Amino acid sequence: MYNRWFIRFFKIHNLSIFILLVLVTAFLCVITFPVVATIKTQYTSLNVSIPNPTAQTQDLLQQGKVLYERGQFAEAVKVLQQVVNNYGSQGNKLRQAVALSNLALAYQKLGNLPPAQQAITDSLKLLEKSSNSQNLQVLAPILDIQGSIQLDLGQAEQALNTWQRAEASYKELGDRNGIIRDHINQAQAWQVLGFYRRGLTILTQLQQELQSKPNSVSKAVELRSFGNALQLAGDLNQSRKVLQQSLSIAQTLDSPQDVSAALFSLGNTAQVQQDFKGAIQFYQQAAAIAPNSISKVQAQVNQLNLLVNTGQTAAVQTLLPQIQTQLAQLPASVTTIYAQINLAQSLMKFGTTPQAIAQICARALQQAQNLADKRAESFALGTLGSVYEQTKQWSIAQNLTQQALNIAQTINAPDIAYRWHWQLGRLLKQQREIEGAITNYDTAVSELQTLRSDLVAVNRDVQFSFKESVEPVYRESVELLLQFQQTHPSEPILDKARQRIEALQLAELDDFFREACINAKTVLLDTVVDKDNPTTAIIYPIILPDQLQVIVKIPNHPLRNYTVNKSQKEVEGTIKQLREYLLEPDRNEEVQALSQEVYGWLIKEIESDLKDNGVKTLVFVLDGILRNVPMAVLYDGQQYLVEKYAVALSLGLQLLALKPLTQTKLNVLAAGLVQPPQGFQQQFPPLPEIKSEFDSISQAIASTTQLLDRDFTSKNLESKVNAVPFNVLHLATHGQFSSSIENTFILAGDGPINVTQFDSLLRRRDQTRSEALEMLVLSACQTATGDNRATLGLAGASVKAGARSTLASLWHISDKSTAILIGEFYHELVKNEVTKAEALRRAQVKLLKDYPNYNRPGYWAPYVLVGNWL
């Protein structure tokens, strides 16, 4: 089976600069698929008065510029090297420094970073040796190039420092445009370093400055760069708004090039928003007005990709010949190579004959070799290898993939190498070389781990590309390990499989939040279970294409696993049906029947072991759609699971040392909203029982601070968070968890508080208070219906808030039953000093047995405890 492996990298730091001594660039950002943004340059005058060079050197310099603009970077390198030598022999250090910076840019475009780094270092050394007063005017753009190369090398901190130096030079020159560009670059570096909020703050400040500037082509370009940066940051609505403004200015100024580029960027943002119809229209418009053939083809190739993905066969068949005709007429360049690779990827999904796709790949490969572009050559070889993989010609596919991998390793490009290790793993598996396949999958996963910060700073094609380019690497690896385990039983193999599924959950969280959000040292759950809490078992159900695998950790016993012969399709169908029936009042028999089936999958095999080892708590590390159903509802034919065991959920990654809550005095900050604010009253009903919920909290816990109704605003919440000592944050208000960060929020009196705003608010508390947030309670929230990744928002809210655990509901139910359950939960927690998981169990059983009106699972089951269960 073929897996699409490209990730669209769109890095703002690739706002590259080609300096022609008296020329500097304005920036035009265009995304190409699959690797990095290709930057076209628009040249304006920089008033530097330097004695004229010889006519021959000037001609070479102009020739280098033309070759660079055409994307013929290998030829540009040869010419620019001559220019560097000529200026060196003339003793003209300033001109030689500029020529070296251009040479560095050309090397960078070729993906050849070591010589690019050397050239830019030599350039800056020459500037240091020269005391010419005009140095400052070329220093800043040369520093911009250095920062770009450093970020490509994974040196984000050095890149940030370099761009800060460049900014200082631009300030000295009074160049506001240069300052703006460096701020955009710095925001990107902060994001790569994991400081997402800081990056977004810089971009927000930039927006205010850009609005005050008069309309110009420069402003249109800067707004476009800003809109693209917002897209990277995941602020898609704002990205679209800013890009529309850039488009409007470009249209007013009658600049077809900038109109087309803005439309192209709008297409990219719309695609990320999964507004495929809108994206297709933007690409169509971008192609129609594009001032040159290559820009037109880029837009059409992106459009074709979407048409294929959305199954619009007739439209594909109409557009495809146009693209093929234009590509055949375009001269060889890096841009045309990637356009052909992108086209080949789309056609593989479309079902075009392998021979036709191989011809496209072969042409791209030949062009890459002619241009001496190693990155492009690696992509072309690997793509050709995947064509042979499709046709099951394993040996040829393996040979091509190995060549692609060798090149990627030579140029130190893990973002390419992991794809080829993955592809080799698939090919070796097909040839039954299982241990070799496992080794390649291990390496691919390891490389993905090193790319964590980069992966979250790429074009936010997230849901789409993560599902196709990252998640399958982990899942296929786990499947391979567990298959190997069947013939070579080994606890270390089971442990590796378990850790890998945990790593996938972490990668999903990174993807959700658009940043590497967890870097703390983890606590191994096995240690907790064996030593600190020997009445707890951990269960890892793993959904594979053809079966369900369950790994189990029972206290003081080695890991074990068993196989359930249910395909992914069968598992997902059952769980989806169970979730739907749980929300319907007259489906109790169906709920019990389906719950009993799932009980048979996850619990029946280990029932006697749990009993024999005195297990009282079950911690589930759930996979995929299983997260959408509360495990407490599983049914053995006579009892629900919650009647026998306390139940908790974990990501498998404990970020803070587990500590029993009974050892801690509770201080609660409670905020609640009875009546939703205007604009949300049709979407969300009132919650009149919140007052009784708050009363029950106050009765159980004396130290309680409350914000109710009008007092519960985002500003007041922030004020209380920073001023009041608390270790439990209880929010009794509507909210929604979704696989989209934009649609994950809690509702305050002044509107929704997005999960990232919520995170920022709690982080500020962490800076002033050492007291850990023991628990986050979200008593009226819900996960988005039909969204298999929605519980990421729930888990993510807990992780990002720094909470040891979170109690929340998977769907919204009667607020009266909620008030009863929450009151019982706090009563058990404080008066009887039990664990959080046991307190929740007792509260749920209370509703089930003592309240006939609320004994249906739909009332008591949706509450889940995520994180520390003690």
Side-chain angles (χ1 to χ4, degrees):
M1 183 184 72
Y2 172 72
N3 290 286
R4 182 186 176 95
W5 40 256
F6 285 129
I7 292 181
R8 295 186 181 194
F9 283 79
F10 176 61
K11 295 188 176 180
I12 298 301
H13 74 266
N14 280 321
L15 299 177
S16 54
I17 305 168
F18 188 100
I19 312 168
L20 196 55
L21 289 178
V22 295
L23 302 173
V24 294
T25 64
F27 300 149
L28 172 61
C29 310
V30 180
I31 293 179
T32 58
F33 189 72
V35 196
V36 292
T38 297
I39 310 304
K40 295 189 176 180
T41 50
Q42 175 183 332
Y43 296 85
T44 57
S45 176
L46 175 68
N47 297 316
V48 180
S49 175
I50 304 175
N52 288 328
T54 65
Q56 180 190 15
T57 307
Q58 184 65 38
D59 288 344
L60 285 171
L61 199 57
Q62 183 63 32
Q63 186 182 347
K65 175 199 171 201
V66 171
L67 289 168
Y68 180 88
E69 287 183 315
R70 288 177 179 170
Q72 296 173 269
F73 302 120
E75 294 302 318
V77 163
K78 294 175 185 176
V79 172
L80 289 168
Q81 189 62 64
Q82 291 182 56
V83 175
V84 170
N85 295 338
N86 287 354
Y87 283 133
S89 62
Q90 295 170 23
N92 194 326
K93 289 184 172 57
L94 181 56
R95 287 184 177 275
Q96 188 180 13
V98 172
L100 278 165
S101 70
N102 289 337
L103 179 63
L105 261 183
Y107 274 128
Q108 184 189 21
K109 288 295 185 181
L110 287 169
N112 205 349
L113 297 179
Q117 186 179 36
Q118 187 60 55
I120 203 67
T121 300
D122 292 344
S123 173
L124 287 166
K125 283 180 180 177
L126 285 170
L127 282 182
E128 290 170 6
K129 291 177 182 177
S130 171
S131 58
N132 194 308
S133 61
Q134 297 164 330
N135 282 11
L136 188 62
Q137 293 178 304
V138 294
L139 175 62
I142 289 175
L143 286 171
D144 281 339
I145 296 169
Q146 184 185 39
S148 171
I149 293 168
Q150 287 169 330
L151 201 58
D152 271 349
L153 286 165
Q155 301 167 354
E157 192 166 352
Q158 293 94 317
L160 178 63
N161 292 334
T162 298
W163 282 325
Q164 287 171 339
R165 282 183 61 200
E167 179 193 352
S169 296
Y170 282 127
K171 282 180 177 177
E172 198 171 337
L173 290 167
D175 184 344
R176 292 304 305 167
N177 292 339
I179 293 169
I180 288 171
R181 292 193 295 269
D182 269 310
H183 280 171
I184 293 175
N185 286 338
Q186 288 171 38
Q188 173 73 1
W190 281 118
Q191 288 170 358
V192 171
L193 286 167
F195 294 91
Y196 171 87
R197 290 289 107 208
R198 183 172 291 191
L200 204 54
T201 298
I202 291 172
L203 294 178
T204 303
Q205 292 168 347
L206 272 178
Q207 185 177 15
Q208 297 168 356
E209 182 173 352
L210 283 170
Q211 298 304 330
S212 64
K213 293 181 67 174
N215 286 351
S216 64
V217 169
S218 174
K219 180 176 180 179
V221 171
E222 288 162 358
L223 282 168
R224 187 166 67 251
S225 297
F226 178 48
N228 291 330
L230 287 167
Q231 180 191 331
L232 285 181
D235 194 347
L236 302 180
N237 291 332
Q238 192 61 28
S239 168
R240 199 158 179 167
K241 182 178 177 181
V242 169
L243 290 171
Q244 287 282 7
Q245 188 180 357
S246 173
L247 173 63
S248 177
I249 293 171
Q251 288 171 330
T252 301
L253 298 174
D254 193 24
S255 173
Q257 181 173 345
D258 295 299
V259 170
S260 179
L263 287 165
F264 190 86
S265 289
L266 279 163
N268 292 329
T269 295
Q271 182 177 351
V272 172
Q273 291 178 307
Q274 299 191 1
D275 175 12
F276 300 132
K277 183 179 178 182
I280 288 169
Q281 290 174 346
F282 282 129
Y283 290 140
Q284 282 177 326
Q285 294 169 28
I289 201 171
N292 56 63
S293 296
I294 187 56
S295 296
K296 183 173 185 176
V297 167
Q298 284 180 298
Q300 288 179 326
V301 168
N302 274 19
Q303 180 189 341
L304 184 88
N305 188 40
L306 276 182
L307 292 172
V308 169
N309 289 339
T310 52
Q312 300 183 50
T313 303
V316 171
Q317 291 170 338
T318 300
L319 183 59
L320 180 57
Q322 299 175 36
I323 294 173
Q324 290 173 320
T325 299
Q326 290 175 100
L327 276 173
Q329 295 171 352
L330 284 169
S333 71
V334 173
T335 308
T336 56
I337 292 168
Y338 288 132
Q340 289 172 98
I341 293 171
N342 188 4
L343 177 63
Q345 292 300 312
S346 296
L347 294 181
M348 272 191 266
K349 291 195 295 181
F350 187 60
T352 301
T353 62
Q355 291 82 358
I357 302 170
Q359 287 178 355
I360 295 170
C361 293
R363 183 169 183 259
L365 175 59
Q366 186 63 60
Q367 290 177 346
Q369 289 171 338
N370 292 342
L371 294 176
D373 187 326
K374 292 298 182 183
R375 282 185 71 92
E377 184 180 355
S378 180
F379 273 116
L381 277 165
T383 307
L384 190 55
S386 66
V387 177
Y388 280 99
E389 179 187 7
Q390 253 194 349
T391 60
K392 300 184 179 181
Q393 293 174 270
W394 312 124
S395 179
I396 300 173
Q398 185 177 336
N399 181 268
L400 289 165
T401 306
Q402 188 63 57
Q403 290 181 56
L405 176 60
N406 292 343
I407 292 172
Q409 290 174 328
T410 300
I411 62 174
N412 190 26
D415 59 304
I416 309 176
Y418 97 83
R419 307 157 201 256
W420 307 141
H421 278 296
W422 175 24
Q423 191 157 295
L424 279 174
R426 299 196 304 268
L427 292 167
L428 290 168
K429 179 185 175 184
Q430 291 294 341
Q431 297 170 79
R432 304 188 188 284
E433 296 180 36
I434 303 303
E435 293 189 53
I438 288 174
T439 298
N440 274 281
Y441 269 102
D442 287 350
T443 307
V445 169
S446 176
E447 285 168 334
L448 278 172
Q449 303 285 51
T450 67
L451 286 168
R452 272 185 67 194
S453 60
D454 255 353
L455 285 175
V456 298
V458 301
N459 181 324
R460 186 158 165 62
D461 200 8
V462 296
Q463 262 38 7
F464 184 76
S465 69
F466 184 88
K467 291 290 287 183
E468 295 198 358
S469 306
V470 178
E471 183 175 347
V473 184
Y474 287 91
R475 289 202 178 279
E476 291 168 18
S477 171
V478 170
E479 182 179 16
L480 195 60
L481 288 167
L482 292 176
Q483 286 175 355
F484 190 68
Q485 161 76 12
Q486 291 173 1
T487 54
H488 299 75
S490 161
E491 189 179 14
I493 291 176
L494 277 183
D495 188 43
K496 185 193 284 189
R498 174 184 64 165
Q499 288 186 35
R500 195 143 293 169
I501 212 70
E502 290 177 350
L504 171 59
Q505 298 216 29
L506 176 57
E508 286 185 296
L509 273 180
D510 288 346
D511 177 59
F512 177 81
F513 279 107
R514 309 304 302 133
E515 64 173 317
C517 64
I518 302 173
N519 291 307
K521 185 177 180 181
T522 60
V523 177
L524 188 63
L525 288 183
D526 289 10
T527 305
V528 177
V529 168
D530 287 340
K531 294 181 180 179
D532 303 324
N533 191 226
T535 58
T536 297
I538 311 170
I539 302 172
Y540 300 79
I542 301 170
I543 302 171
L544 300 175
D546 300 319
Q547 59 187 216
L548 180 66
Q549 281 279 346
V550 185
I551 299 176
V552 181
K553 170 61 184 175
I554 289 175
N556 298 304
H557 285 71
L559 288 175
R560 58 169 291 195
N561 74 307
Y562 54 90
T563 302
V564 179
N565 290 316
K566 291 288 179 182
S567 69
Q568 180 177 351
K569 186 176 181 181
E570 290 175 298
V571 170
E572 290 180 347
T574 300
I575 296 299
K576 183 180 179 183
Q577 192 70 74
L578 176 55
R579 169 71 184 243
E580 289 175 5
Y581 285 163
L582 280 166
L583 300 177
E584 296 179 21
D586 56 350
R587 296 283 194 172
N588 210 43
E589 287 185 13
E590 291 93 334
V591 166
Q592 288 186 345
L594 290 171
S595 293
Q596 190 168 353
E597 183 179 356
V598 181
Y599 184 96
W601 300 346
L602 305 185
I603 306 297
K604 194 171 183 62
E605 179 87 10
I606 54 171
E607 243 175 343
S608 58
D609 291 337
L610 296 175
K611 187 175 181 181
D612 292 347
N613 286 277
V615 170
K616 296 179 180 178
T617 302
L618 300 180
V619 176
F620 290 88
V621 182
L622 295 176
D623 184 26
I625 198 170
L626 287 168
R627 302 171 189 147
N628 288 1
V629 169
M631 294 293 104
V633 82
L634 301 191
Y635 191 65
D636 68 1
Q638 294 181 322
Q639 287 182 301
Y640 291 104
L641 193 65
V642 74
E643 296 181 74
K644 301 189 289 184
Y645 300 99
V647 177
L649 304 180
S650 173
L651 296 175
L653 296 153
Q654 294 301 323
L655 307 182
L656 299 167
L658 294 183
K659 175 183 174 185
L661 194 61
T662 52
Q663 299 175 9
T664 307
K665 182 184 177 184
L666 297 186
N667 298 302
V668 178
L669 171 59
L673 197 62
V674 173
Q675 189 68 42
Q678 281 192 334
F680 294 88
Q681 292 174 357
Q682 287 187 334
Q683 185 179 354
F684 298 110
L687 300 170
E689 294 295 328
I690 282 179
K691 291 179 182 177
S692 63
E693 184 176 329
F694 277 22
D695 288 344
S696 64
I697 296 172
S698 297
Q699 288 170 15
I701 300 171
S703 180
T704 302
T705 304
Q706 296 183 4
L707 289 173
L708 190 60
D709 288 339
R710 290 184 181 180
D711 292 333
F712 177 23
T713 64
S714 54
K715 186 175 181 179
N716 285 349
L717 180 62
E718 181 175 2
S719 174
K720 292 294 183 185
V721 160
N722 290 322
V724 174
F726 68 95
N727 51 16
V728 176
L729 178 59
H730 184 109
L731 300 175
T733 178
H734 287 290
Q736 179 168 289
F737 302 111
S738 163
S739 60
S740 163
I741 196 169
E742 289 184 306
N743 296 321
T744 297
F745 61 87
I746 56 171
L747 201 58
D750 53 349
I753 302 175
N754 184 271
V755 68
T756 53
Q757 296 171 283
F758 185 63
D759 160 48
S760 180
L761 181 150
L762 288 173
R763 279 197 194 185
R764 283 195 287 275
R765 168 193 181 267
D766 292 343
Q767 292 168 7
T768 58
R769 297 183 181 276
S770 59
E771 188 179 26
L773 183 59
E774 294 290 342
M775 189 163 54
L776 172 65
V777 181
L778 304 164
S779 70
C781 295
Q782 62 190 25
T783 53
T785 305
D787 188 338
N788 288 350
R789 283 172 32 119
T791 45
L792 278 177
L794 171 55
S798 176
V799 168
K800 295 286 284 181
R804 292 186 193 273
S805 53
T806 295
L807 175 63
S809 53
L810 294 181
W811 58 83
H812 175 59
I813 56 284
S814 157
D815 67 317
K816 188 170 183 63
S817 63
T818 297
I820 296 168
L821 184 137
I822 292 297
E824 291 292 337
F825 171 73
Y826 279 110
H827 173 82
E828 294 290 342
L829 201 61
V830 176
K831 304 301 181 188
N832 295 322
E833 297 188 347
V834 296
T835 66
K836 286 178 273 192
E838 177 61 18
L840 176 59
R841 188 192 78 81
R842 293 184 183 187
Q844 289 176 308
V845 170
K846 188 85 170 175
L847 270 187
L848 169 63
K849 293 189 172 180
D850 295 352
Y851 291 86
N853 289 341
Y854 303 124
N855 65 4
R856 187 169 58 81
Y859 286 108
W860 54 261
Y863 298 94
V864 293
L865 182 70
V866 183
N868 177 11
W869 63 90
L870 297 182

